[in-house]
């Protein structure tokens, strides 16, 4: 009988084990596999490609990872700071203030305070960075100049290829003469001087700019420079409000564009003008995405929508480019019209159940492409204003769609986007299949059977974050608690649950029993308005699976019992108690004696 080794994980070469590690998160490797055997412990100690994602980690896991990981083995670090993980950045800095992530290739800082920025960079060797992303949640004038200096220093690094920042900085960032960035994103920009960036970035390929909402004429161009920037192949402009002449002048400097995405407000509705401009100035454009709005002082009519959509029915749009568009307006708000490409390019959608939208489209009638039209939508704010009789509310919505010269509706759920004809009996799944964040806003108090519509519209198994922005979840509403509980139990991947609106001063009628009943066992973070401090203690004791919570309350009694409970049962918790608000990042549970 031949002698040979039976293959097993323990006999695999370290290189193969490390390839397996490449597909696992740092927590699994360090807290689980590392403890399995000496072989895995050795492989873990020699592994040098940790991706450390510390965004939504529980406090015990966070402290464990920070204690076990060698920063020199980390190539990517993702760090955030929010109410869900109180004082996380301070804890991170305390662990690594004398150590350095010397091999770091990617650094993502999301929602941090400006005062923390320079302290985090002290822990990082930015020489090898090829990706840097920064979103500062709380700006501080005391650190403004130092932050700009640090960002300018990061931009100058020769290995940096991707640079993403939120907000335009004042004073502006100093761009090096030979900036080696290939992908640039600026969010929250209030004014843009494109020449100052493009002239200094000889290999820049992708540019994405999101302007502050409501800011007009945000692009500043001069007539002194007409040399085209042929290295730019992708451009995204969001929240743009400007004249089409300014936009055309900017685009004419980027003749090599293959992808252009535009979200904004302005006189951009002339399909014939776009056709002529693209043929003359953007010969390589393959993908053109847009969502545009235009408002005027008089109402739009069906004839106006027909006139707009007609300019997009030429052979250039339908046959040569195969770019399809839709145009629509709400009968109740007829002074604003929308024009958008198909598929819808928005990642966030405000869906009004009772809106009466008239929509015209140049699209065909391929039913297989129905859901792909809205595949990009990841977040929905759903306005529920149902005040229908029970016999109507219990009836399944029927879709009746008219294309081209006809309007489009979907029973009581009026479409916010283009749909193709489909019989109810052919519908085997919800319409939105990839929504991860859902917010439901109740408009009226009569909510009978409201929950019927939500699973029909949205695949609840994909929801990760849920928010109900109202104070109506209470015992006084018949079946409300049961309906909400049933809805939440269908969200099998739900991690964050927000059961109140922080803008409401209403005294909650929710009890600890109500909250515990509604909260699924897989939820990790909870935000809720509750009756009293004693009820908060019950919630924290019963919902042991929570890693963090935020409570609103109106009780004026002593908070000492809560502090005592946290020290005794969740030692190491970080907490902050303001007036009528408790934030807590929960420590390790004490095992029963």
């Amino acid at each position: 009988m031949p002698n040979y080794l039976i293959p097993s994980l323990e006999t695999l070469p370290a290189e193969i084990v490390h390839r397996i590690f490449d597909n696992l998160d740092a927590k699994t490797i360090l807290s689980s596999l590392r403890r399995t055997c000496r072989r895995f412990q050795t492989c873990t100690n020699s592994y040098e490609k940790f991706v450390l994602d510390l965004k939504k980690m529980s406090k015990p896991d966070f402290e464990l990872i920070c204690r076990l990981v060698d920063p020199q083995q980390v190539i990517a670090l993702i760090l955030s700071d929010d109410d869900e993980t109180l004082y996380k950045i301070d804890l991170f800095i305390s662990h690594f203030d004398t150590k350095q992530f010397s091999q770091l290739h990617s650094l993502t800082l999301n929602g941090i305070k400006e005062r923390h920025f320079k302290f985090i960079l002290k822990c990082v060797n930015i020489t090898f960075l090829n990706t840097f992303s920064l979103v500062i949640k709380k700006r501080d004038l005391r650190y403004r100049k130092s932050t700009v200096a640090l960002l300018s220093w990061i931009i100058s690094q020769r290995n940096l290829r991707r640079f993403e920042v939120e907000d335009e900085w004042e004073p502006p960032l100093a761009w090096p003469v030979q900036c080696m960035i290939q992908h640039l994103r600026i969010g929250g920009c209030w004014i843009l001087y494109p020449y100052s960036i493009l002239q200094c970035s000889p290999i820049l390929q992708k540019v994405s700019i999101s302007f502050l909402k409501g800011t007009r004429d945000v692009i500043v161009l001069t007539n002194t420079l007409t040399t085209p920037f042929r290295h730019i192949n992708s451009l995204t402009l969001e929240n743009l409000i400007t004249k089409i002449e300014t936009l055309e002048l900017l685009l004419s400097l980027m003749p090599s564009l293959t992808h252009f995405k535009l979200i904004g407000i302005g006189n951009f509705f002339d399909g014939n003008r776009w056709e002529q401009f693209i043929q003359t100035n953007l010969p390589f454009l393959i993908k053109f995405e847009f969502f545009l709005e235009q408002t005027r002082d008089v109402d739009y009519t069906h004839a106006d929508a027909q006139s707009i959509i007609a300019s997009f029915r030429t052979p250039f749009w339908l046959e040569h480019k195969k770019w399809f568009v839709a145009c629509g307006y709400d009968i109740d708000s007829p002074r604003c019209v929308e024009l958008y490409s198909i598929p819808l390019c928005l990642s966030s959608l405000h869906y009004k159940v009772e809106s009466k939208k008239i929509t015209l489209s140049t699209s065909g009638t391929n039913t297989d492409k129905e859901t792909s039209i809205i595949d990009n939508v990841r977040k929905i704010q759903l306005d529920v204003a149902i005040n229908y009789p029970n016999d109507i509310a219990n009836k399944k919505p029927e879709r009746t769609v008219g294309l081209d010269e006809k309007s489009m509706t979907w029973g009581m759920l009026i479409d916010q986007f283009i749909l193709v004809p489909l019989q109810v009996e052919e519908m085997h799944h919800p319409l939105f299949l990839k929504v991860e964040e859902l917010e439901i806003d109740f408009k009226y108090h009569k909510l009978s059977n409201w929950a019927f519509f939500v699973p029909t519209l949205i695949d609840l198994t994909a929801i990760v974050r849920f928010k109900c922005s109202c104070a109506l979840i209470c015992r006084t509403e018949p079946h409300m608690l049961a309906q909400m509980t049933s809805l939440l139990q269908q969200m099998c991947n739900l991690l964050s649950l927000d059961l109140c609106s922080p803008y409401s001063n209403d005294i909650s009628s929710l009890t600890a029993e109500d909250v515990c009943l509604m909260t699924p066992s897989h939820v990790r973070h909870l935000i809720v308005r509750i009756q009293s401090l004693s009820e908060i203690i019950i919630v924290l004791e019963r919902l042991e699976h929570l890693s963090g919570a935020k409570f609103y309350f109106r009780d004026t009694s002593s908070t000492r019992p809560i502090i005592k409970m946290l020290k005794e049962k969740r030692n190491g918790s970080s907490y902050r108690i303001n007036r009528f608000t408790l934030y807590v990042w929960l420590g390790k549970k004490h095992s029963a004696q």
Side-chain angles (χ1 to χ4, degrees):
M1 185 174 181
N3 294 324
Y4 59 87
L5 292 175
I6 299 176
S8 69
L9 288 176
E10 294 188 2
T11 62
L12 287 176
E15 294 79 7
I16 296 181
V17 176
H18 288 169
R19 289 292 296 273
I20 296 174
F21 285 0
D22 290 344
N23 297 283
L24 301 174
D25 60 85
K27 177 189 171 184
T28 300
I29 299 171
L30 291 169
S31 64
S32 298
L33 289 179
R34 182 178 179 273
R35 299 178 177 181
T36 304
C37 59
R38 290 184 178 179
R39 166 68 172 161
F40 277 8
Q41 184 176 359
T42 301
C43 289
T44 300
N45 293 338
S46 62
Y47 184 60
E48 298 181 342
K49 296 173 64 177
F50 278 106
V51 175
L52 212 56
D53 187 349
L54 303 175
K55 291 197 304 292
K56 301 298 181 183
M57 199 169 283
S58 68
K59 189 171 185 184
D61 287 339
F62 182 88
E63 292 179 322
L64 176 65
I65 298 303
C66 289
R67 187 171 68 250
L68 293 178
V69 73
D70 182 349
Q72 298 185 38
Q73 295 176 270
V74 178
I75 62 170
L77 174 63
I78 304 171
L79 193 59
S80 67
D81 191 22
D82 49 41
D83 294 337
E84 299 181 16
T85 52
L86 202 61
Y87 305 125
K88 178 196 290 184
I89 301 297
D90 298 282
L91 186 58
F92 174 84
I93 293 172
S94 69
H95 274 282
F96 299 108
D97 59 343
T98 60
K99 302 177 183 179
Q100 192 172 65
F101 293 82
S102 58
Q103 304 300 318
L104 204 63
H105 294 166
S106 175
L107 176 61
T108 299
L109 305 175
N110 187 16
I112 67 169
K113 298 179 179 66
E114 193 163 0
R115 67 180 180 87
H116 284 138
F117 182 43
K118 68 176 182 179
F119 294 103
I120 295 174
L121 286 189
K122 288 182 179 179
C123 308
V124 175
N125 177 9
I126 70 170
T127 304
F128 301 111
L129 280 184
N130 57 45
T131 298
F132 175 79
S133 178
L134 172 67
V135 178
I136 287 182
K137 176 178 65 175
K138 189 174 182 179
R139 306 297 299 274
D140 192 326
L141 290 175
R142 296 173 297 174
Y143 303 98
R144 186 62 51 85
K145 290 185 178 180
S146 63
T147 298
V148 170
L150 289 171
L151 289 173
S152 299
W153 176 46
I154 292 173
I155 293 173
S156 67
Q157 300 304 305
R158 304 297 295 177
N159 290 313
L160 192 67
R161 296 295 179 266
R162 179 185 291 263
F163 183 76
E164 301 177 349
V165 292
E166 194 72 23
D167 205 352
E168 180 73 359
W169 299 86
E170 184 64 35
L173 303 182
W175 289 82
V177 176
Q178 288 289 317
C179 179
M180 304 309 292
I181 293 173
Q182 293 179 334
H183 188 164
L184 171 67
R185 172 168 173 77
I186 301 177
C189 183
W190 62 275
I191 193 166
L192 176 68
Y193 298 90
Y195 290 146
S196 62
I197 297 174
L198 300 178
Q199 283 183 303
C200 299
S201 310
I203 65 172
L204 185 62
Q205 298 176 2
K206 297 182 178 182
V207 179
S208 178
I209 308 293
S210 178
F211 297 99
L212 285 175
K213 290 185 176 181
T215 308
R216 295 178 177 274
D217 300 323
V218 288
I219 300 177
V220 179
L221 297 171
T222 66
N223 296 322
T224 58
L225 184 60
T226 58
T227 304
F229 300 97
R230 301 186 181 278
H231 45 83
I232 307 294
N233 58 42
S234 177
L235 176 65
T236 296
L237 300 174
E238 299 182 18
N239 302 324
L240 178 67
I241 305 177
T242 193
K243 297 177 181 178
I244 192 170
E245 292 80 8
T246 302
L247 179 58
E248 288 177 339
L249 182 56
L250 175 64
L251 293 176
S252 64
L253 297 173
M254 304 176 185
S256 300
L257 281 183
T258 59
H259 173 227
F260 177 44
K261 179 178 178 179
L262 174 63
I263 298 176
I265 300 173
N267 56 333
F268 308 132
F269 280 49
D270 189 342
N272 295 323
R273 181 166 181 166
W274 276 115
E275 178 179 337
Q276 183 177 355
F277 179 82
I278 292 171
Q279 288 179 324
T280 304
N281 299 279
L282 303 176
F284 303 105
L285 192 63
I286 297 173
K287 189 175 184 180
F288 184 21
E289 301 177 283
F290 54 86
F291 188 93
L292 308 170
E293 293 180 278
Q294 186 169 303
T295 304
R296 67 184 188 185
D297 295 332
V298 296
D299 293 351
Y300 281 96
T301 65
H302 191 269
D304 293 326
Q306 286 178 320
S307 177
I308 293 172
I309 205 72
S311 64
F312 294 90
R313 288 202 180 100
T314 65
F316 170 83
W317 292 92
L318 301 181
E319 299 173 13
H320 177 52
K321 291 295 188 179
K322 291 183 172 56
W323 292 340
F324 303 105
V325 304
C327 178
Y329 65 95
D330 195 322
I331 296 176
D332 294 331
S333 304
R335 296 192 176 184
C336 179
V337 66
E338 297 171 346
L339 179 72
Y340 47 92
S341 57
I342 301 172
L344 193 68
C345 63
L346 297 180
S347 61
S348 179
L349 188 65
H350 189 179
Y351 194 104
K352 296 181 180 180
V353 172
E354 282 193 330
S355 78
K356 301 176 179 65
K357 177 157 289 189
I358 301 299
T359 304
L360 308 179
S361 167
T362 65
S363 175
T365 58
N366 186 351
T367 58
D368 294 335
K369 295 183 178 180
E370 177 192 356
T371 55
S372 66
I373 292 172
I374 49 176
D375 268 355
N376 295 320
V377 179
R378 294 293 181 271
K379 177 180 178 180
I380 287 185
Q381 181 182 347
L382 182 62
D383 283 355
V384 179
I386 298 174
N387 198 19
Y388 303 124
N390 286 346
D391 58 336
I392 298 178
N394 285 325
K395 184 180 178 182
K396 267 199 171 184
E398 297 181 357
R399 308 184 188 190
T400 58
V401 179
L403 296 172
D404 297 332
E405 300 299 331
K406 299 179 181 179
S407 63
M408 178 183 64
T409 63
W410 180 28
M412 293 170 294
L413 300 183
I414 307 300
D415 283 327
Q416 309 292 304
F417 43 81
I418 182 64
L419 289 177
V420 292
L422 185 65
Q423 299 299 321
V424 173
E425 57 268 20
E426 296 175 356
M427 186 175 63
H428 301 294
H429 54 72
L431 193 59
F432 292 92
L433 298 177
K434 299 184 178 182
V435 172
E436 298 174 352
E437 188 170 349
L438 172 61
E439 178 178 344
I440 297 182
D441 190 1
F442 294 106
K443 297 297 185 183
Y444 302 123
H445 288 263
K446 189 173 182 179
L447 302 169
S448 179
N449 295 304
W450 66 272
F452 165 79
F453 293 95
V454 180
T456 304
L457 189 67
I458 299 165
D459 180 7
L460 297 181
T461 64
I463 300 298
V464 177
R465 302 176 67 87
F466 174 77
K467 179 178 180 179
C468 178
S469 56
C470 74
L472 297 180
I473 307 175
C474 54
R475 291 180 177 274
T476 58
E477 291 291 344
H479 312 301
M480 188 63 183
L481 283 174
Q483 288 176 331
M484 182 60 70
T485 300
S486 174
L487 196 74
L488 292 172
Q489 291 298 331
Q490 297 176 60
M491 302 179 189
C492 57
N493 287 298
L494 185 66
L495 296 178
S496 179
L497 174 59
D498 185 342
L499 290 175
C500 69
S501 170
Y503 308 107
S504 172
N505 293 321
D506 296 339
I507 298 176
S508 173
S509 63
L510 288 177
T511 66
E513 184 69 26
D514 298 332
V515 174
C516 294
L517 178 66
M518 284 190 291
T519 306
S521 60
H522 43 271
V523 167
R524 293 295 174 261
H525 186 262
L526 174 68
I527 303 175
V528 66
R529 188 179 301 277
I530 203 165
Q531 290 181 340
S532 64
L533 292 169
S534 59
E535 298 278 275
I536 294 176
I537 295 176
I538 296 174
V539 171
L540 291 177
E541 288 180 337
R542 289 183 55 181
L543 300 183
E544 295 185 344
H545 50 83
L546 293 179
S547 63
K550 181 178 181 180
F551 296 95
Y552 296 95
F553 56 89
R554 302 294 293 178
D555 196 344
T556 58
S557 58
S558 174
T559 58
R560 290 180 182 177
I562 291 180
I563 298 173
K564 179 181 178 182
M565 186 277 293
L566 291 174
K567 289 181 178 179
E568 292 178 350
K569 298 187 178 181
R570 301 298 290 262
N571 193 26
S573 297
S574 299
Y575 59 86
R576 181 171 72 239
I577 302 178
N578 300 332
R579 190 183 184 195
F580 306 135
T581 310
L582 167 66
Y583 306 82
V584 60
W585 191 23
L586 293 164
K588 189 175 182 179
K589 296 186 291 287
H590 282 205
S591 55
Q593 299 296 323

